[in-house]
Amino acid sequence: MRCIKCGEKAIMELPRHNSAFCKPDYLEYFETQVARVIRRHRMFDRNDRILVGVSGGKDSLSLWHVLARMGYKAAGLHIHLGIGEYSSLSYEKALCFSRQRGLELFTVDLAKEHGMNVTELSRTLRRAPCSGCGLSKRYILNREAYERGFDTVATGHNLDDETAVLLGNILHWQIRHLARQSPVLPSTGGRLVKRVKPLFMLTERETAAYALLHGIDYIVEECPNALKAKSLLYKDALARIEAESPGAKQRFLTHFLQDAQPRLQVGADDHVLRDCVACGQPTTAELCAFCRMWRQASERAEKRKRYRETASAREMKTAGEQS
Ligand code: Q46
Ligand code: ZN
């Protein structure tokens, strides 16, 4: 297998493009793809301050790395989710990456801010960890970007993530979600910061190769909760289709964005955004979903605490009467 550009030995084959590249030409291919997406979708320019959501995984660190290499003003935000060893290691990788390259990293600790980590939140609310986690990450990224004066939030979602979400949204006919699934979500004013996904045309395998070739030390382990997430099933199904028909994932997403999504957008997002009465962040209701969720979680935790106190007081009383 030879590099299609220089004829040297190829280290990376890309069946969906019917091509193969040597190391330098692969790195150039990757960066050209990112630059093209940024330009074509008018994601940001050199003057913008970009806040990258950094988990410590290959996608977010590759994104931060490539933006910094291209000369963009990109800082990172890591949210400490408190998912056992996985979160500690993720933080270590993000911190180490930022220190080695002299890039600015902000951190938010969910448990310190709200008294509960993702695992405790999920137990308290009796709902899947990913739902509270995803909502918290989206909210905190936007809030931190707004409060720190960033113009854009960038996340490392790749082609596999985006096509898995698309398949899930179609299987459940989530029209509102489909209307909003886009590599660029503009700021519609107020405290809503523009959100972009510069890696959405590159696969997981391609970002992993980019990270490895640049010697980026990322967390290889997946979040333990990802195993229970439906998106893995959708990714598996799409990988099987891709193996039989290279380029299927890319066609699925690009045709959706070009042909189907503009029609879905008409009249789909007729909600008016206003400020949450508790936190001031943008919402369509009086209280935003994040504040509603954490209010419910602290009420339940308080109720449980009172129940436990009453039960132990009763036990002590019974023990005292028996002695
Ligand atoms: S971190 Fe959070 Fe993911 Fe873990 S709990 Fe789910 S949403 S899987 S990207
Ligand atoms: Zn709120």
Side-chain angles (χ1 to χ4, degrees):
M1 192 175 53
R2 297 272 146 200
C3 171
I4 57 151
K5 288 193 84 179
C6 69
E8 288 293 314
K9 190 171 179 286
I11 50 109
M12 185 72 177
E13 194 184 358
L14 298 177
R16 73 190 174 107
H17 293 307
N18 198 17
S19 53
F21 295 104
C22 65
K23 181 178 170 179
D25 285 323
Y26 176 70
L27 294 175
E28 195 191 312
Y29 152 82
F30 188 96
E31 292 181 4
T32 305
Q33 294 288 319
V34 177
R36 193 175 292 160
V37 158
I38 293 171
R39 212 174 38 245
R40 185 174 294 166
H41 294 272
R42 298 199 181 96
M43 290 185 167
F44 39 75
D45 61 38
R46 304 269 163 213
N47 299 317
D48 287 335
R49 288 184 69 222
I50 305 152
L51 186 63
V52 182
V54 180
S55 67
K58 60 186 182 318
D59 302 310
S60 59
L61 291 183
S62 290
L63 173 61
W64 200 5
H65 184 85
V66 73
L67 294 184
R69 263 173 70 85
M70 288 173 168
Y72 287 107
K73 291 182 247 173
L77 173 75
H78 178 79
I79 304 168
H80 204 295
L81 303 167
I83 308 172
E85 184 67 9
Y86 165 76
S87 285
S88 315
L89 207 53
S90 301
Y91 174 56
E92 246 174 60
K93 301 286 181 191
L95 188 65
C96 195
F97 178 93
S98 71
R99 284 194 178 150
Q100 279 171 355
R101 289 158 179 83
L103 297 169
E104 191 172 18
L105 178 72
F106 303 102
T107 49
V108 170
D109 189 316
L110 207 59
K112 276 193 194 140
E113 218 179 64
H114 294 281
M116 260 180 246
N117 60 32
V118 162
T119 313
E120 291 156 348
L121 175 70
S122 151
R123 264 190 228 129
T124 307
L125 292 177
R126 291 201 197 99
R127 68 191 220 190
C130 292
S131 91
C133 177
L135 173 59
S136 300
K137 287 196 288 191
R138 281 191 301 278
Y139 174 95
I140 292 169
L141 256 173
N142 187 75
R143 184 195 66 195
E144 292 297 308
Y146 175 77
E147 288 178 358
R148 295 178 189 278
F150 284 89
D151 304 286
T152 310
V153 162
T155 56
H157 294 94
N158 58 44
L159 184 62
D160 299 82
D161 300 324
E162 290 302 295
T163 47
V165 170
L166 177 57
L167 182 59
N169 283 341
I170 290 174
L171 287 174
H172 298 98
W173 289 117
Q174 297 272 19
I175 301 294
R176 274 191 194 284
H177 292 181
L178 285 166
R180 281 178 57 78
Q181 190 180 342
S182 165
V184 180
L185 285 175
S187 163
T188 43
R191 299 181 185 209
L192 193 64
V193 180
K194 184 179 185 183
R195 188 178 286 255
V196 300
K197 300 168 185 170
L199 303 186
F200 88 105
M201 273 292 126
L202 291 151
T203 65
E204 224 161 77
R205 183 173 155 262
E206 286 163 30
T207 47
Y210 182 80
L212 285 171
L213 293 172
H214 268 297
I216 297 171
D217 183 19
Y218 63 84
I219 177 162
V220 179
E221 293 82 13
E222 287 277 349
C223 166
N225 297 319
L227 297 171
K228 296 171 221 146
K230 273 277 185 301
S231 56
L232 267 200
L233 173 66
Y234 303 149
K235 279 187 182 177
D236 279 353
L238 287 161
R240 288 179 60 185
I241 298 170
E242 180 76 19
E244 293 293 324
S245 171
K249 277 192 269 195
Q250 187 173 334
R251 287 192 296 277
F252 181 41
L253 186 61
T254 49
H255 285 294
F256 163 71
L257 292 172
Q258 278 166 21
D259 306 327
Q261 211 217 24
R263 294 168 202 220
L264 293 169
Q265 271 176 337
V266 182
D269 228 357
D270 48 7
H271 285 309
V272 179
L273 286 182
R274 52 174 158 160
D275 296 347
C276 167
V277 290
C279 71
Q281 285 290 298
T283 175
T284 52
E286 198 173 283
L287 199 63
C288 74
F290 181 83
C291 287
R292 273 203 309 274
M293 178 181 75
W294 282 101
R295 198 170 274 188
Q296 194 186 23
S298 54
E299 280 168 6
R300 285 205 186 168
E302 189 54 38
K303 211 166 154 187
R304 231 174 255 177
K305 194 175 142 216
R306 278 203 306 272
Y307 176 79
R308 274 201 297 269
E309 280 169 1
T310 318
S312 78
R314 209 180 296 134
E315 265 174 36
M316 277 167 69
K317 192 174 167 221
T318 315
E321 282 168 1
Q322 282 170 352
S323 62

